[in-house]
Amino acid sequence: MVIRTAEFIGSSTGLAGCPAPGKPEFAFTGRSNVGKSSLINMLAGNRKLARISQSPGKTRTINHYLINKEWYLADLPGYGFSKMPFEQRKKWMKETGNYLANRKNLVCVFVLLDIRIKPQVSDLRFMEMLGINNIPFARIFTKSDKLSKQKAENNVKEYDRVMLETWEELPRTFISSSVTRAGREEILNFISELVNNYKKDV
Ligand code: GTP
Ligand code: MG
């Protein structure tokens, strides 16, 4: 897929503020600092689209981008940041949970995982929650440039091993780097396929 246009549409604190669900939507989430904003900019081919932060946990709203006037990219607030006060975390669970369960045009959630970090309870729980609620998702292992190819593959294998203790099959998986742009074509082709199927369904 060639990205011709990528526009920021708006921010919302929950489902009610999201744009009308007239186009297929792909959501991106993961723990704070996983490289979500960097990946979104890398995919969109625009370094300034999503804000890249030095201090984790900046994204507190659902940010919508319209890509090629054809599909929505939703940047969800990251989860699992330890510094977030309990009340705020509860609010996040409620708002984002409601969005995930009820967003009608949501086609796939991309769960971002730092390829250097061992499986974390918060990520495993989040994916379990998606599974239980029948919300389709894929994994993207980020920051692959920080490891050798061999080490990266081993870490993914180890992640698979842990997931297969509870999952019958593994989700679609991508390995990316916003530095080398690895994974860009694969992820965009995957989205493109789903956008085309979505059109056929409607
Ligand atoms: P929050 O929105 O703050 O939760 O973070 P985020 O998940 O959006 O991460 P962000 O894109 O802001 O990146 C966090 C840090 O990781 C920044 O210092 C980035 O430069 C760095 N980073 C992100 N992606 C990559 C990558 O693929 N490779 C390398 N080497 N660094 C990366
Ligand atoms: Mg961010």
Side-chain angles (χ1 to χ4, degrees), residues 3 5-12 17-20 23-28 36-52 58-77 99 103 105 191 195:
I3 304 295
T5 57
E7 312 155 62
F8 174 69
I9 296 293
S11 298
S12 45
C18 291
K23 292 175 166 60
E25 181 155 311
F26 298 82
F28 289 74
K36 197 159 47 84
S37 301
S38 305
L39 178 78
I40 289 169
N41 291 340
M42 184 273 266
L43 292 176
N46 179 345
R47 271 186 212 180
K48 288 186 196 143
L49 200 62
R51 235 182 57 205
I52 297 170
K58 277 280 155 57
T59 314
R60 295 284 163 84
T61 50
I62 301 174
N63 297 325
H64 275 88
Y65 302 91
L66 179 59
I67 312 293
N68 289 350
K69 309 210 184 281
E70 193 173 42
W71 56 276
Y72 286 122
L73 188 162
D75 181 2
L76 304 184
Y99 163 87
R103 182 69 171 156
N105 56 333
I191 292 174
V195 167

Side-chain angles (χ1 to χ4, degrees), residues 80-116:
F81 23 102
S82 50
K83 281 193 198 131
M84 194 192 244
F86 179 70
E87 278 307 311
Q88 214 172 325
R89 215 179 306 174
K90 237 172 47 183
K91 194 164 177 287
W92 179 89
M93 283 296 293
K94 210 174 137 202
E95 295 289 0
T96 309
N98 183 33
Y99 163 87
L100 289 169
N102 299 309
R103 182 69 171 156
K104 295 214 159 33
N105 56 333
L106 182 61
V107 175
C108 182
V109 178
F110 290 101
V111 178
L112 275 58
L113 304 161
D114 188 322
I115 199 158
R116 298 167 300 170

Side-chain angles (χ1 to χ4, degrees), residues 31-39 51-59 78 142-146 176-179:
R31 284 186 309 122
S32 191
N33 210 40
V34 69
K36 197 159 47 84
S37 301
S38 305
L39 178 78
R51 235 182 57 205
I52 297 170
S53 57
Q54 294 307 322
S55 56
K58 277 280 155 57
T59 314
T142 62
K143 308 191 186 184
S144 66
D145 60 283
K146 297 225 184 200
S176 79
S177 162
S178 55
V179 173

